[in-house]
Amino acid sequence: MVLQVALNNSCNFKCVYCTDHRPGNEVPRTGLQGRAWDELFELIPRIEVLAFHGISEFFVDKRFFEVVERCAQAGASLSLNTNGSVATPKHVQLLKEYPGFLDVNFSLDAATPATFLRIRGWDFD
């Protein structure tokens, strides 16, 4: 079984192409919590492939380490999407030691500071 989920819609960038930042969007920043979070967390050991993607930056989620460790304990294949900007040595070490199949996709869409600022709304450096 494969499960793809976004635990939140929080991100540290303000990309021009993201639906979350389009004029008129009034969807608040939210995170999966309460019963929905509890049920998802309990479901993890029964899933073969877990993918954390969506309109979010999974690495900023306060439960990142807990979720990845639970996936590792379950022996699940793990697929992550990130802009890479908030990956700390702690994130890297956890992923380096991941015991199963790991697929990490990095979103790279600008090679110059000016383009990066225009597209991502964030300082390139």
Side-chain angles (χ1 to χ4, degrees), residues 47-116:
I47 306 296
E48 295 172 48
V49 179
L50 287 134
F52 294 95
H53 299 275
I55 301 174
S56 64
E57 173 52 53
F58 180 44
F59 283 48
V60 301
D61 193 292
K62 64 184 177 183
R63 300 161 300 188
F64 175 87
F65 297 97
E66 179 183 10
V67 170
V68 172
E69 288 170 2
R70 176 99 167 156
C71 292
Q73 292 167 355
S77 294
L78 185 58
S79 178
L80 308 175
N81 191 47
T82 181
N83 60 41
S85 68
V86 294
T88 66
K90 186 177 177 183
H91 287 93
V92 173
Q93 189 64 35
L94 180 69
L95 297 176
K96 181 179 175 184
E97 295 172 355
Y98 194 79
F101 176 80
L102 177 65
D103 177 37
V104 181
N105 300 301
F106 289 90
S107 300
L108 302 172
D109 54 11
T112 67
T115 303
F116 194 84

Side-chain angles (χ1 to χ4, degrees), residues 6-84:
L7 296 178
N8 62 58
N9 68 344
S10 296
C11 186
N12 57 316
F13 285 169
K14 297 191 178 359
C15 302
V16 296
Y17 55 78
C18 181
T19 58
D20 219 32
H21 303 291
R22 290 193 179 143
N25 178 36
E26 296 181 17
V27 176
R29 294 292 184 181
T30 60
L32 197 59
Q33 55 189 332
R35 184 175 171 194
W37 161 251
D38 294 341
E39 289 180 2
L40 171 68
F41 200 70
E42 291 304 315
L43 186 63
I44 288 175
R46 292 180 246 163
I47 306 296
E48 295 172 48
V49 179
L50 287 134
F52 294 95
H53 299 275
I55 301 174
S56 64
E57 173 52 53
F58 180 44
F59 283 48
V60 301
D61 193 292
K62 64 184 177 183
R63 300 161 300 188
F64 175 87
F65 297 97
E66 179 183 10
V67 170
V68 172
E69 288 170 2
R70 176 99 167 156
C71 292
Q73 292 167 355
S77 294
L78 185 58
S79 178
L80 308 175
N81 191 47
T82 181
N83 60 41

